[in-house]
Amino acid sequence: MSLSLVRDNGRPGIVATAAKKKKHPLEHFLAGGTAGLVESSCCHPLDTIKTRMQLRKQIASAKAIGPLTTATRIIKREVRRENTTR
C-alpha cells in the first residue's frame, strides 16, 4: 500500500492506494471473451430488429411499427417456424 498526496477541490488530502498487481494473460483472455459474448448477445438481436424495421419502411403499403412490436413478431414467427419443422 502506498500513500499519495492529492488535491481535490483545492484541498490537500492523503489517499491510500493499493499496489497494482500484474494480471495473468488468461484473465485478460477470459475477460475479453466474456465481454464479446455479452456484446454479441445484446447487440445482435437489436441489430436484427433495426434491420427488419428498415426493410419494413421500404414497403409502401406497410404501416410503421415500433421496436417492441417488431421483436414480438420476430419471436412469434420463429416459434411458428420451429414448430412446423419438427
Side-chain angles (χ1 to χ4, degrees):
M1 183 184 294
S2 64
L3 299 176
S4 300
L5 181 63
V6 295
R7 288 187 177 250
D8 186 25
N9 296 334
R11 295 187 218 142
I14 298 177
V15 176
T17 57
K20 293 188 178 182
K21 183 180 167 188
K22 190 171 181 174
K23 297 186 191 286
H24 191 274
L26 185 58
E27 195 172 351
H28 287 285
F29 178 76
L30 290 174
T34 303
L37 177 72
V38 171
E39 185 274 334
S40 180
S41 299
C42 294
C43 292
H44 183 71
L46 293 175
D47 191 47
T48 301
I49 293 169
K50 176 193 65 117
T51 302
R52 298 277 176 97
M53 290 176 69
Q54 288 172 338
L55 290 172
R56 189 167 176 82
K57 284 182 183 178
Q58 293 178 355
I59 302 171
S61 63
K63 175 177 95 167
I65 57 174
L68 293 176
T69 305
T70 302
T72 304
R73 287 183 179 187
I74 291 170
I75 292 168
K76 285 180 182 177
R77 189 173 298 141
E78 292 299 320
V79 167
R80 208 174 325 132
R81 184 179 298 158
E82 283 292 319
N83 289 336
T84 58
T85 58
R86 288 185 181 182

